[in-house]
Amino acid sequence: MLEHTDVTIQDVIAEKKKMSRKVDSKLIMKAYNYSVEKHKDQKRESGEPYIVHPLQVAFTIAEMGLDEPTIVAAILHDVVEDTDATNENIVNLFGQEVADMVSGVTKLSNIQFASVEENQVENYRKMFLAMGKDIRVILIKLADRLNNMRTLKYLKRERQIAIAKETMELYAPLANRLGLYNIKAELDDLSFKYIYPEEYREIVEGINKKKDERLKFLDKIMEQIRVELKKHRIDAEVTGRAKHFYSIYKKMQRDNCTLDQIYDLFAMRIIVNSVKDCYAALGIVHELYNPMPGRFKDYIAVPKPNMYQSIHTTLLGEKGTPFEVQIRTWDMHKVAEFGIAAHWAYKEANFLGIGKQNVKVKEDDLAWIRESIEWQKEMQNPQEFLETLKTELFEDEVYIFTPKGAIKVLPKGSNAIDFAYSIHEQIGHHMVGCKINGKMMPIITTLQNGDIVEIITSDNSKGPSMDWLKFVKSSQARNKINGWFKKEKKEENIEKGKDLIEKEVKRISIEFSDLFKPEYIKPMLDRYKYDNLNQMYAAVGFGANTATKVIARMLIEYRKDHQENNIEKEIEKLTVEKQNKKPKASSNGIVVKGIDNCLVKLSRCCNPLPGDEIVGYITKGRGVSVHRKDCPNVKELLQEDNRMIDVAWVEEEKISYKVDIEISANDRGNLLSDIITTLNSVRAKLVGVNAKASRDRIAVIDITIETQSVEELNNILKALRKIDSVYDVKRKKI
């Protein structure tokens, strides 16, 4: 096989010719010459000319058997991002189809975001939207990431770890969901090598020690199977391969065992001409060797969501040594190797039914992509988006049956709520109970492979509960539940959103009328694609976005008009009376370095207490706001370093501070009474209480107490955690 480091443009064209009789070599050469010209002065970290990278990406795309426009887009994929080339240039020279693909893999660079995390998420979102229009975008992106991983050794250690983690968490699972197993396995192994170098080295050395012995064992078995298949006149190719290093490592972690205790380090593959021959071959190997119970999977009868089909069985060889056999047809093998790329009808197809459709893919096979596009449109919280994306991409899944025998594939850890929404939106909305394997069970019961689930509905149902969002695993269920609440409680969400926005504006000490001006509102509405303020308020009230993010985007524009160069004046305003003596503490027990009799406010977003590490922030005209150092808002405030000031606690007198606590428990009789009794026993002063219980009998009790220090608070929290039925007690952040 050709080494990717030695790839030339002639190699790319030659690889494409293996798949097609007619190849538009002139178009490919035109793209190559343009890319050479644009990248001419650029070098990679390795010192090589930059053009080496797009050539290697294009070669991988050609290996997949993709069409000329995709190869051209691969050659050009970095020119808009890294050179003076524009999207218009690409359209004029190579057409809209190529330009759209190049745009899909180009990172956002000319837009201001409130945080680095938000910028990263928006790049993922852009990539998924482009992927929804044309699946070839993600194939180029995966080829790009594969080449970057192959050359990761030239980067600094911190960058190696960051890129390897992102690859393992996002790109390898994505390759898996698209059925690109070769790329997925290599991405995993390369990531493993940089994240866990010692463990990687130990596994490689351990496998190499006994490699000859194990291959000899496998060769003997393969020859026996070939002879037996020939006797039964089954035309088959029988091959063996070593399992990938990361899959071995995961197995060691899962089963808590050493490398010496894993025997099936090599797998055997039998490729035949028909489905009938697959099952005939299965019967033959089961006659030759005893199968291990519980280690048989038929992905031909029940294909994976990424279209993968094969029979997997683990058998016992001589001396009880286990080995795995995979059995599939040649067509299945092509899909297993190249996934969605194997279904691409090169010049005829356009994904999702746009243009001539000649892709041999069932309508539901790629439904998860369509669903991901739907839920990601609504999700504005970067952390929530990333967590949902990773959950959606990971391979673990369960196969659940309806009473009529239909199969539903759900993420591992799903419950009956997920199952109900996988059948139909209205089934989920009207769900009141469920039967699992004929027995009435709680709707939040985790489902297991092979469960038969019957959903019980009622026309009198009031709809889903917000608590369901805590338990569902599938983005499909979460999206439909969120959709119901957005539609049914729009006015309530608008009012709640207004309240949250007003609180956030008050927190940052800017007048509402000063910030909510058309010139600051419009960029925020455009950024989050809201048509008007009510739409924004509804999104914040519902939880699809946060007040902090909305205001942060407006502050970007606000600060352009308010250059804050008068920090000295602000500090002067803080000082009521300058004295040449030891600074006095504020009424909150806080001393501000260098300023006496200063107006000090304890921030409500983190409720600092004596004993907490704290920092001060000079507000506009409202004194110094004091935050805990671990407060989520401090990271944003640190960007204005000239407004940060040293503050400290003073122990001259005991002062009481209000603290909000959230208690989560299984609902039961006398629960609130036991909580109050416990608070009295530790002499905690109760200021307020608000208790509510969900229909799933989960109680959430919010209490406000007065305390004088972190140490005292920790003793109170410890006592509350000991109460029967209480499973979580935490200090709230507003």
Side-chain angles (χ1 to χ4, degrees):
M1 184 178 175
L2 182 68
E3 286 292 326
H4 284 72
T5 52
D6 301 326
V7 169
T8 66
I9 190 61
Q10 286 74 27
D11 295 323
V12 174
I13 294 170
E15 188 65 27
K16 173 59 185 165
K17 285 181 176 178
K18 291 179 183 178
M19 301 284 190
S20 305
R21 291 180 182 177
K22 293 182 179 180
V23 176
D24 193 345
S25 302
K26 286 184 179 179
L27 179 65
I28 295 173
M29 284 302 302
K30 180 181 176 183
Y32 171 70
N33 291 330
Y34 185 78
S35 190
V36 167
E37 172 61 25
K38 290 299 176 182
H39 290 300
K40 62 182 177 182
D41 297 324
Q42 296 175 347
K43 300 280 187 183
R44 300 202 79 198
E45 293 290 339
S46 61
E48 296 173 306
Y50 195 89
I51 190 62
V52 170
H53 169 64
L55 269 179
Q56 291 165 347
V57 174
F59 186 82
T60 300
I61 291 297
E63 283 183 308
M64 292 183 196
L66 292 168
D67 56 356
E68 287 94 332
T70 317
I71 293 171
V72 167
I75 294 170
L76 301 171
H77 79 273
D78 275 338
V79 294
V80 174
E81 185 176 333
D82 294 337
T83 77
D84 62 358
T86 65
N87 185 65
E88 290 73 22
N89 295 151
I90 306 301
V91 172
N92 293 334
L93 291 168
F94 303 100
Q96 192 66 52
E97 181 184 12
V98 170
D100 287 344
M101 283 190 274
V102 172
S103 176
V105 294
T106 300
K107 291 179 183 175
L108 301 165
S109 58
N110 298 322
I111 302 175
Q112 280 192 296
F113 294 97
S115 67
V116 173
E117 184 185 43
E118 185 182 350
N119 187 21
Q120 180 191 37
V121 169
E122 286 310 309
N123 280 312
Y124 293 149
R125 198 191 303 272
K126 178 175 183 279
M127 184 175 73
F128 261 73
L129 282 171
M131 171 180 165
K133 295 174 184 173
D134 191 332
I135 196 68
R136 293 172 294 179
V137 167
I138 205 65
L139 299 178
I140 297 171
K141 190 65 184 175
L142 287 169
D144 173 52
R145 178 52 61 112
L146 179 62
N147 181 247
N148 286 334
M149 288 300 297
R150 286 170 174 166
T151 56
L152 206 57
K153 63 183 178 182
Y154 298 106
L155 300 184
K156 291 182 179 178
R157 178 70 179 145
E158 309 86 71
R159 290 288 295 144
Q160 288 176 343
I161 293 172
I163 293 171
K165 280 186 176 179
E166 183 187 40
T167 300
M168 186 175 279
E169 291 176 359
L170 184 74
Y171 289 100
L174 183 54
N176 179 70
R177 285 302 302 261
L178 292 170
L180 299 161
Y181 282 108
N182 283 349
I183 290 179
K184 185 258 184 194
E186 189 174 351
L187 289 175
D188 270 337
D189 280 353
L190 288 168
S191 300
F192 176 41
K193 177 181 178 180
Y194 288 100
I195 299 172
Y196 306 107
E198 285 302 310
E199 291 87 342
Y200 178 85
R201 182 185 54 78
E202 287 173 9
I203 288 177
V204 172
E205 290 178 356
I207 289 174
N208 287 337
K209 279 180 184 176
K210 296 187 177 181
K211 186 175 181 180
D212 292 340
E213 178 187 330
R214 288 189 172 114
L215 284 176
K216 187 177 179 182
F217 163 77
L218 207 61
D219 285 341
K220 184 178 178 182
I221 290 172
M222 286 193 295
E223 187 55 36
Q224 289 174 338
I225 291 175
R226 287 190 191 104
V227 169
E228 206 60 32
L229 289 170
K230 196 171 182 180
K231 279 184 187 176
H232 289 78
R233 296 181 180 178
I234 296 175
D235 184 19
E237 179 178 286
V238 183
T239 58
R241 63 173 181 85
K243 287 197 171 180
H244 295 284
F245 301 134
Y246 185 60
S247 66
I248 294 169
Y249 174 74
K250 283 201 299 184
K251 186 170 184 178
M252 289 167 61
Q253 296 297 304
R254 184 190 69 209
D255 299 339
N256 193 27
C257 61
T258 64
L259 186 63
D260 290 336
Q261 293 170 307
I262 298 178
Y263 294 98
D264 54 340
L265 295 175
F266 294 85
M268 190 187 311
R269 189 172 288 150
I270 301 173
I271 307 176
V272 296
N273 295 324
S274 67
V275 173
K276 180 183 176 183
D277 286 347
C278 286
Y279 290 102
L282 176 67
I284 289 168
V285 295
H286 277 189
E287 281 182 13
L288 286 172
Y289 309 98
N290 290 326
M292 282 184 69
R295 297 292 300 274
F296 172 79
K297 292 177 181 176
D298 187 351
Y299 293 119
I300 293 178
V302 185
K304 287 190 175 187
N306 60 14
M307 302 165 291
Y308 176 84
Q309 288 184 286
S310 190
I311 294 171
H312 292 194
T313 184
T314 301
L315 307 165
L316 297 172
E318 292 179 4
K319 299 178 184 179
T321 303
F323 63 96
E324 186 183 66
V325 175
Q326 298 172 0
I327 307 170
R328 61 179 72 139
T329 67
W330 285 102
D331 285 343
M332 293 172 191
H333 181 63
K334 187 178 179 184
V335 173
E337 294 291 298
F338 297 109
I340 182 63
H343 286 279
W344 196 263
Y346 303 121
K347 290 186 179 179
E348 301 287 328
N350 203 342
F351 186 57
L352 296 179
I354 304 168
K356 294 182 180 179
Q357 181 76 14
N358 194 29
V359 183
K360 297 178 182 177
V361 180
K362 293 179 187 174
E363 184 63 23
D364 294 336
D365 281 338
L366 295 170
W368 69 273
I369 296 178
R370 298 177 183 88
E371 288 165 14
S372 73
I373 293 164
E374 287 304 312
W375 61 252
Q376 65 88 27
K377 284 178 184 175
E378 302 295 332
M379 206 168 287
Q380 301 293 351
N381 185 307
Q383 193 57 41
E384 186 183 359
F385 176 90
L386 280 178
E387 290 305 317
T388 307
L389 178 59
K390 289 171 186 175
T391 300
E392 195 68 14
L393 291 179
F394 275 114
E395 60 187 314
D396 289 342
E397 55 213 10
V398 289
Y399 295 83
I400 310 301
F401 294 87
T402 69
K404 292 183 179 179
I407 299 169
K408 295 292 178 181
V409 183
L410 297 170
K412 191 173 183 179
S414 293
N415 52 48
I417 305 171
D418 295 286
F419 182 77
Y421 280 102
S422 74
I423 297 171
H424 195 277
E425 184 176 22
Q426 293 305 317
I427 298 290
H429 290 344
H430 293 89
M431 178 184 187
V432 292
C434 72
K435 286 183 181 180
I436 301 175
N437 301 323
K439 183 180 178 182
M440 288 295 297
M441 296 291 286
I443 61 175
I444 60 172
T445 302
T446 300
L447 301 177
Q448 305 298 324
N449 259 325
D451 280 348
I452 301 172
V453 181
E454 179 183 351
I455 302 299
I456 300 166
T457 61
S458 170
D459 291 337
N460 297 322
S461 168
K462 294 179 181 178
S465 162
M466 279 296 284
D467 290 329
W468 289 7
L469 292 170
K470 299 175 184 176
F471 303 108
V472 294
K473 289 289 183 183
S474 63
S475 61
Q476 181 184 34
R478 183 174 288 104
N479 191 43
K480 289 176 179 177
I481 294 168
N482 282 336
W484 187 89
F485 279 102
K486 272 191 276 190
K487 184 178 178 182
E488 297 295 321
K489 299 193 175 184
K490 184 177 179 181
E491 294 304 318
E492 184 180 321
N493 288 331
I494 289 173
E495 290 305 312
K496 186 178 178 182
K498 284 181 179 177
D499 185 50
L500 290 169
I501 290 290
E502 287 171 5
K503 283 181 179 178
E504 180 64 14
V505 174
K506 190 177 288 186
R507 183 186 70 78
I508 61 173
S509 303
I510 295 179
E511 291 296 327
F512 190 91
S513 57
D514 289 343
L515 184 61
F516 271 71
K517 292 181 177 179
E519 59 266 36
Y520 308 143
I521 293 172
K522 189 177 184 305
M524 177 272 294
L525 295 179
D526 291 344
R527 162 66 187 84
Y528 293 113
K529 299 178 177 61
Y530 298 132
D531 294 331
N532 50 55
L533 279 175
N534 275 349
Q535 206 175 79
M536 179 274 287
Y537 287 134
V540 172
F542 173 66
N545 203 348
T546 66
T548 303
K549 283 175 59 58
V550 167
I551 298 303
R553 183 62 190 87
M554 295 176 71
L555 284 173
I556 291 173
E557 306 302 322
Y558 176 86
R559 284 168 181 158
K560 289 177 183 176
D561 290 347
H562 298 74
Q563 295 298 323
E564 299 175 330
N565 297 323
N566 57 345
I567 189 67
E568 292 81 7
K569 291 181 181 179
E570 294 287 349
I571 292 175
E572 284 180 20
K573 289 179 185 177
L574 296 176
T575 308
V576 177
E577 181 183 349
K578 293 186 178 181
Q579 298 176 354
N580 295 320
K581 59 181 180 180
K582 182 180 177 182
K584 293 181 180 178
S586 70
S587 60
N588 296 309
I590 300 284
V591 166
V592 180
K593 184 178 179 180
I595 303 174
D596 196 18
N597 293 334
C598 177
L599 176 62
V600 176
K601 182 176 66 173
L602 297 180
S603 175
R604 289 285 289 162
C605 60
C606 56
N607 287 329
L609 290 173
D612 284 330
E613 290 189 75
I614 53 175
V615 293
Y617 174 75
I618 302 169
T619 66
K620 284 188 173 181
R622 296 192 181 188
V624 172
S625 65
V626 178
H627 297 257
R628 282 162 45 192
K629 273 191 176 178
D630 62 353
C631 174
N633 292 318
V634 166
K635 189 181 290 186
E636 179 189 332
L637 298 176
L638 284 171
Q639 295 175 10
E640 302 177 73
D641 190 51
N642 61 341
R643 285 189 171 271
M644 305 308 293
I645 193 165
D646 290 338
V647 292
W649 297 105
V650 173
E651 297 182 2
E652 291 179 355
E653 54 181 323
K654 293 292 184 181
I655 301 172
S656 292
Y657 303 85
K658 288 183 180 180
V659 180
D660 296 317
I661 298 170
E662 181 180 273
I663 303 168
S664 300
N666 294 315
D667 196 17
R668 62 170 174 82
N670 298 321
L671 176 62
L672 188 57
S673 174
D674 288 351
I675 289 172
I676 294 171
T677 301
T678 299
L679 291 172
N680 287 333
S681 71
V682 292
R683 297 181 181 179
K685 184 177 178 182
L686 182 64
V687 178
V689 62
N690 179 35
K692 57 185 177 181
S694 71
R695 64 178 70 179
D696 299 314
R697 300 193 63 78
I698 292 174
V700 178
I701 301 165
D702 294 329
I703 62 171
T704 303
I705 62 169
E706 283 191 356
T707 184
Q708 295 180 339
S709 68
V710 170
E711 184 180 356
E712 186 179 303
L713 174 64
N714 288 337
N715 289 333
I716 295 168
L717 297 178
K718 189 175 180 181
L720 290 171
R721 290 187 182 107
K722 292 180 180 178
I723 298 172
D724 181 39
S725 298
V726 171
Y727 61 81
D728 190 26
V729 180
K730 61 186 177 185
R731 184 172 165 183
K732 287 186 71 177
K733 295 178 182 177
I734 297 176

